[in-house]
Amino acid sequence: MERGVNESVGPARRLRVAIIGAGPSGSTLAILLAREGAAVTLVDDGRRPELLVGESLVPAVVPILRRLDLEKETASFSRIKPGVSFIWSSTDRVSVTFDRFAPAVFPYAYNVPRPQFDDTLLAKAIASGVDYVTARAQLVPNPAAGTGAELQLGPETVAAAPGLGGQPPDLVVDATGRARLAARALGIPPRLGPRKDVAHFAHFEGVSWDETPGQVRIARGEAGWSWCIPLQERLSIGIVLGQDDAARLGRTPEERLERAIAIDPGLTSIVGRGRRVTDVATYANYQLISERGYGPGWVMIGDAFGFVDPMLSPGVFLALRSSEQLADALTPWLRRRAIPSPAELHSVLSSYAATQSEMLTAWLELVAYLYDGRLAALIQAGRSWMPENPGFAKRAIQTHIARHVGLLASGAATTSRYSRGLLRFLGRYGLRGIDPAELAIR
Ligand SMILES: Cc1cc2nc3c(=O)[nH]c(=O)nc-3n(C[C@H](O)[C@H](O)[C@H](O)COP(=O)(O)OP(=O)(O)OC[C@H]3O[C@@H](n4cnc5c(N)ncnc54)[C@H](O)[C@@H]3O)c2cc1C
């Protein structure tokens, strides 16, 4: 018979959790666990660059910010994002505003300067009683893994975090983003998606902006695609394209971004007489989901678990949501001041990991519709199907479809079986002869 939670560890005590990485996922989990009484140590290497990707959020982030009591503060340095415009060519575009899908979808999101956003989350974690340590953490396989935790903190990490009292924590959380510390320590392979792009981006001032204020602009380019994300005083402009196509644009990231703007009439007119006010940052942009997201005594959250693709901006949402899910799953023990037994912890972590894996898979499936042209083809097909004065039935069908695409792409219900099934059905039978390949992103 399973031992009772308190019997497994003796008298009641606080759950001790070590979180490695203070990006959005790590700090959010730290806040939520500390609020429920866990003893949390948060370790970050403090190597944050001047520019960070992850500036455009989806509406489903806002309820989480409210739960963290951080919406007001976030709003003070961010820009309201009313929606997104997708531009396939100079004559083919669609602009979506989230309020169209309310109340099922939160009616707005934010565009955030990421360093400030991360600082805000971290400050809240510290204010919630989290023990914050700046150190480059190490995770190593536990030689006695068969009898306990599979991973342990390296001795230097334990020494750098006196709050741990030299004791191994009950749970180690890998929130190191694409460093994937736990996966590397244990040799856990990733399941890779089809895109292997590179992204270059920078901030600009003095640009000319004809779109709705705050509206994110995603545009298909000759190769790859570009983003324009309006921040409070600046515009973030990025390009995402294959390695070879990037190399053809120029040698350095600066040359490539400059050239990409010069050959794209839409970007050229936006930048106008504006000027670049930061260096050009470079990110590898691939898609991956970890084959395994947890093990005895440890778990992955955020990008460490999986990274989808930035075109629909789900990264920060997936990071925050993974933290929320894990914290909620642990809360019953925290409220009872009880420590889950290894079997109970295994059960919590495995159901969390299954949910997170499903979310990542659903987003990967959704973003594929944009890359291979099916979503653009469906929109064209929908337009050709609608007469100038559509009757009630056609209007209702169109609203129904748009609503379900909105639910998927806003994060409100990306795993919904019905919405995904509808999109699959339409992608197969609803294209009315339009060839998606013509609208694909190279
Ligand atoms: C090109 C591109 C564009 C993107 N655009 C968007 C977007 O518009 N919207 C969006 O929502 N998402 C976007 N993303 C994704 C988004 O940036 C990530 O999903 C998000 O940052 C994940 O947060 P995280 O907390 O999991 O990881 P991270 O933000 O990567 O945080 C990890 C933290 O761990 C620390 N760390 C790493 N190793 C160690 C170690 N050994 N010891 C201690 N600390 C360590 C790091 O310094 C960092 O602070 C984009 C990604 C790319 C590549």
Side-chain angles (χ1 to χ4, degrees):
M1 205 180 87
E2 194 61 58
R3 281 182 298 175
V5 282
N6 282 332
E7 289 161 26
S8 61
V9 292
R13 64 169 174 83
R14 297 166 79 194
L15 184 78
R16 297 165 62 255
V17 183
I19 303 172
I20 317 298
S25 62
S27 292
T28 298
L29 181 66
I31 296 167
L32 295 174
L33 292 181
R35 271 186 188 169
E36 293 294 345
V40 183
T41 300
L42 179 60
V43 186
D44 191 88
D45 58 12
R47 295 189 182 181
R48 186 184 299 153
E50 179 203 2
L51 276 185
L52 270 180
V53 283
E55 298 168 317
S56 154
L57 307 183
V58 292
V61 167
V62 185
I64 307 179
L65 292 179
R66 289 188 170 181
R67 178 174 177 185
L68 297 170
D69 199 17
L70 283 177
E71 187 191 353
K72 214 165 149 200
E73 196 172 341
T74 302
S76 72
F77 54 76
S78 305
R79 181 135 230 181
I80 294 262
K81 169 183 166 186
V84 187
S85 297
F86 291 97
I87 295 157
W88 278 276
S89 71
S90 56
T91 54
D92 197 3
R93 59 177 287 153
V94 60
S95 287
V96 183
T97 54
F98 305 124
D99 62 0
R100 179 177 166 196
F101 309 113
V105 168
F106 205 83
Y108 60 86
Y110 287 100
N111 298 324
V112 300
R114 262 296 298 277
Q116 249 169 301
F117 182 69
D118 287 22
D119 281 346
T120 302
L121 285 165
L122 177 57
K124 186 76 167 185
I126 294 168
S128 309
V130 167
D131 181 24
Y132 175 64
V133 175
T134 308
R136 189 153 186 81
Q138 290 165 330
L139 287 177
V140 290
N142 181 0
T147 55
E150 188 179 14
L151 269 177
Q152 56 188 26
L153 296 168
E156 286 160 28
T157 311
V158 175
L164 292 171
Q167 297 293 313
D170 301 303
L171 180 64
V172 172
V173 181
D174 180 3
T176 59
R178 297 188 312 155
R180 301 181 70 239
L181 206 58
R184 282 176 209 271
L186 296 170
I188 298 172
R191 181 153 55 88
L192 290 171
R195 302 293 300 191
K196 287 170 189 61
D197 295 330
V198 60
H200 300 298
F201 87 110
H203 287 175
F204 291 74
E205 283 179 5
V207 300
S208 83
W209 188 250
D210 293 335
E211 298 274 348
T212 309
Q215 183 89 349
V216 165
R217 178 188 189 273
I218 302 288
R220 185 167 71 126
E222 264 177 37
W225 57 279
S226 64
W227 78 64
C228 291
I229 303 173
L231 302 169
Q232 273 193 355
E233 310 293 337
R234 296 169 166 189
L235 183 71
S236 168
I237 301 182
I239 52 168
V240 182
L241 68 182
Q243 311 271 354
D244 293 346
D245 288 320
R248 271 192 280 278
L249 286 175
R251 207 174 38 84
T252 63
E254 289 75 17
E255 281 172 15
R256 292 172 181 182
L257 187 59
E258 226 167 78
R259 180 90 193 116
I261 292 168
I263 61 174
D264 182 315
L267 289 179
T268 308
S269 87
I270 287 169
V271 171
R273 292 212 210 115
R275 63 193 181 93
R276 176 160 64 79
V277 292
T278 62
D279 288 341
V280 178
T282 298
Y283 277 78
N285 183 55
Y286 45 81
Q287 306 165 319
L288 69 81
I289 302 176
S290 194
E291 291 270 350
R292 181 155 73 92
Y294 73 103
W298 69 271
V299 64
M300 298 165 178
I301 57 173
D303 272 14
F305 196 137
F307 170 71
V308 174
D309 186 278
M311 199 188 304
L312 287 167
S313 311
V316 171
F317 165 65
L318 285 163
L320 267 52
R321 186 77 190 108
S322 64
S323 308
E324 210 181 27
Q325 262 162 347
L326 183 57
D328 289 348
L330 289 167
T331 292
W333 280 275
L334 295 169
R335 294 216 168 136
R336 279 183 281 142
R337 285 276 167 135
I339 311 297
S341 68
E344 287 165 334
L345 190 57
H346 173 88
S347 154
V348 164
L349 299 184
S350 90
S351 76
Y352 150 78
T355 310
Q356 188 64 11
S357 202
E358 191 194 348
M359 287 254 263
L360 288 159
T361 306
W363 277 100
L364 264 185
E365 181 185 343
L366 182 62
V367 83
Y369 280 81
L370 278 156
Y371 277 107
D372 65 19
R374 274 176 299 167
L375 196 60
L378 269 175
I379 291 167
Q380 279 194 5
R383 282 185 190 141
S384 74
W385 178 72
M386 290 289 273
E388 234 167 63
N389 292 310
F392 172 77
K394 281 202 167 186
R395 208 188 289 274
I397 291 170
Q398 196 203 37
T399 306
H400 181 78
I401 293 169
R403 181 168 175 275
H404 282 278
V405 175
L407 283 170
L408 290 169
S410 64
T414 313
T415 53
S416 154
R417 280 179 66 182
Y418 176 77
S419 305
R420 290 169 79 188
L422 181 66
L423 191 57
R424 279 185 207 137
F425 177 83
L426 291 168
R428 199 165 298 149
Y429 304 110
L431 298 179
R432 294 171 58 82
I434 296 168
D435 180 7
E438 303 274 311
L439 297 158
I441 292 169
R442 192 171 96 204

